[in-house]
Amino acid sequence: MCDRERGWSEVPLVKTWQLIAGSAVAGLALSAVAVTAAGPWDSGQRKAERDRAASWNPTGGADHAAGSLPQAAPSAPGVLQGIAPRSAAPSAALAGVLGPLLADPALGTVRGAAVIDAATGAVLYESGAAEPMTPASTVKIATASAALAALGPEHRIRTTVVPGPDAGQVVLVGGGDPSLTAKKKSPAGSGGSLVALAADTAQALKAAGTDTVALGYDDGLYSGPVRHPIGRNDNLAPVTALTADEGRPDDSTAGPVERTEDPSKDTARAFAALLRDRGIKVTGEPAPAKPAADARPLATTLSTPLAGLVERMLTNSDNDIAEALARQTALATGKPASFEGGEQAVTQRLGSLGVDLTGTRFADGSGLNRADKVSARLLAGLLAKAADPQHPELRPVLTGLPVAGFTGTLRTRNAGTSPAAGLLRAKTGTLTGVNSLAGTVVAPSGRLLAFAFLTANAPDGSAAEKGLDKLAAAVASTP
């Protein structure tokens, strides 16, 4: 479901649905949860379960004033707040266990490792922790942290319909919502709805005595190349400010699939068809256009709150959401909404959190670019920062991490009888020759630990993953 508004002179602002967003608390108790089957995919991504962070059931309903956003349900409270902080000195036992596991040749020729007590910030273990390395999809932890720091977890992205400069013209204006869907009910979960937007637009037009329009579309909010530097790739659509269903031609919600060449135009075409279904004649083909100056929107649809986008991105390793969040961070920071602007903005926002950025580079938001460089110390530090009571805005970074043996990209890893099953939450990262894992786990001592393991030049990706899982299980089981 979605929240939508409409307004145009005498047409009142109406809210028809209110999003009920929920965040999963870090897992301590194992529970039987129905999840969608996960399967492997290429270039550092995997197919994962559907987003469960928000409900499509129409249970909301309070009106809100014009120009204001509906309030999202709060994100999860302090993660594992029932666990009492304990003194945390560097653990000789942890070093004795992790050292030999980190030396496994299956992990490649370069390794970085860091384990931090989340409550105290004490470093429990480090090896090559300051070395900047290619992180693959674990860079999404940085993207999420920067976006939440810049915009807050309740921020929503608008897609609007605005009168055009010519008589009888309306313009569909993209705000960069990566959850925007043209489906009546998206299998990906809640988000901005073109169906709802078309219904509100048609009602506003009819109320004004208009039943025929020319449709334009405006995706000018973003700048620079729309193609990722790696070029055409089934793991990412061209990055535009107006894209429905991530440019996917089917009902898939994750994993590789050939994307549309022109997401903006295809989204406008879908919107035109929805208007026609609602009794509005649309003349000609949608074409690029700009709204009339100072025009009030006819209708608006809102994205899932940023907390929900972050959780969906991390659970499913969603590259499209990641690149959108990097650009939203750029816009909030006064930078161009481009790959370059995103890099500058993410760097600036993370710097404001007080983490060490020595040697880092955020060439993209998704981790598909091998030019990305982060250290294990940085990733573990960001996760510890997200658990800090002084930074509740970062909590979705933790609640969005997949749960070992249960959800997302960890559904089949550290599962079953593993000591990490249900206790470990982590973001995976995989490119050819690059494997990484960063997350949190509750140790037998009762401490919440943040960890990061980065590797490079592994001869076999599957063997490297197993080596990383052993490291994470060791953190989960060592006193």
Side-chain angles (χ1 to χ4, degrees):
M1 80 183 158
C2 69
D3 288 276
R4 58 190 190 267
E5 307 166 1
R6 55 176 181 263
W8 190 31
S9 62
E10 72 278 5
V11 181
L13 182 70
V14 176
K15 173 182 170 301
T16 56
W17 302 101
Q18 180 175 11
L19 178 68
I20 305 300
S23 298
V25 179
L28 280 178
L30 306 182
S31 59
V33 184
V35 293
T36 303
W41 41 274
D42 196 10
S43 298
Q45 311 180 15
R46 289 181 181 274
K47 193 174 180 182
E49 84 288 348
R50 296 178 182 176
D51 175 69
R52 300 293 187 184
S55 170
W56 275 85
N57 295 325
T59 54
D63 288 343
H64 54 276
S68 64
L69 293 178
Q71 294 299 302
S75 188
V79 174
L80 302 177
Q81 58 185 1
I83 298 175
R86 306 187 184 191
S87 59
S91 170
L94 194 60
V97 173
L98 293 183
L101 291 175
L102 200 62
D104 184 352
L107 295 176
T109 60
V110 185
R111 306 91 184 264
V115 182
I116 298 174
D117 185 287
T120 66
V123 175
L124 304 182
Y125 179 80
E126 283 193 339
S127 177
E131 180 70 21
M133 298 175 61
T134 299
S137 281
T138 54
V139 83
K140 291 183 174 75
I141 293 171
T143 304
S145 300
L148 289 165
L151 295 161
E154 295 183 356
H155 177 76
R156 297 191 188 199
I157 303 167
R158 296 173 180 266
T159 305
T160 61
V161 177
V162 181
D166 300 328
Q169 182 185 41
V170 295
V171 180
L172 177 64
V173 182
D177 175 11
S179 68
L180 186 66
T181 179
K183 296 178 171 62
K184 185 176 181 180
K185 185 174 181 180
S186 170
S190 63
S193 171
L194 283 181
V195 176
L197 188 64
D200 286 353
T201 300
Q203 184 174 340
L205 289 170
K206 290 175 181 178
T210 300
D211 61 5
T212 302
V213 295
L215 178 63
Y217 62 91
D218 180 5
D219 63 357
L221 186 64
Y222 289 176
S223 60
V226 299
R227 284 284 183 191
H228 190 282
I230 62 175
R232 184 191 302 273
N233 190 289
D234 288 350
N235 290 311
L236 180 66
V239 185
T240 79
L242 183 62
T243 301
D245 300 299
E246 297 186 344
R248 295 174 178 272
D250 53 21
D251 287 334
S252 66
T253 60
V257 65
E258 186 175 357
R259 312 301 182 89
T260 175
E261 286 291 305
D262 192 342
S264 298
K265 188 165 188 176
D266 285 352
T267 300
R269 284 171 171 164
F271 186 68
L274 290 168
L275 286 178
R276 293 187 184 102
D277 290 343
R278 284 150 184 81
I280 301 297
K281 181 179 179 181
V282 180
T283 61
E285 272 281 288
K290 293 295 181 183
D294 301 322
R296 293 181 61 193
L298 299 174
T300 298
T301 187
L302 304 173
S303 74
T304 297
L306 186 63
L309 292 176
V310 164
E311 289 172 344
R312 191 183 302 180
M313 173 186 72
L314 293 173
T315 297
N316 296 348
S317 197
D318 193 303
N319 294 317
D320 298 273
I321 295 177
E323 296 304 344
L325 294 189
R327 280 158 178 74
Q328 294 296 317
T329 304
L331 291 169
T333 311
K335 305 294 183 182
S338 61
F339 283 104
E340 183 178 351
E343 177 177 357
Q344 295 168 359
V346 169
T347 302
Q348 182 175 325
R349 290 293 177 171
L350 294 184
S352 70
L353 293 175
V355 294
D356 183 6
L357 297 175
T358 303
T360 58
R361 185 183 175 193
F362 305 103
D364 66 3
S366 61
L368 290 172
N369 197 326
R370 291 176 180 271
D372 290 326
K373 299 296 176 185
V374 304
S375 67
R377 181 181 295 167
L378 171 64
L379 291 178
L382 285 173
L383 292 165
K385 190 76 68 174
D388 187 341
Q390 299 301 312
H391 288 282
E393 76 280 5
L394 301 182
R395 203 72 74 241
V397 173
L398 301 187
T399 59
L401 294 172
V403 180
F406 283 86
T407 63
T409 58
L410 286 187
R411 184 176 182 271
T412 61
R413 294 176 60 173
N414 267 317
T417 60
S418 168
L423 295 180
L424 179 141
R425 307 191 69 140
K427 181 71 197 74
T428 58
T430 310
L431 294 169
T432 302
V434 173
N435 298 90
S436 55
L437 190 68
T440 63
V441 69
V442 181
S445 63
R447 296 177 301 192
L448 179 65
L449 307 183
F451 67 87
F453 302 113
L454 303 177
T455 71
N457 306 320
D460 181 89
S462 179
E465 285 186 357
K466 291 178 181 178
L468 291 171
D469 290 345
K470 290 178 182 178
L471 286 163
V475 177
S477 57
T478 302

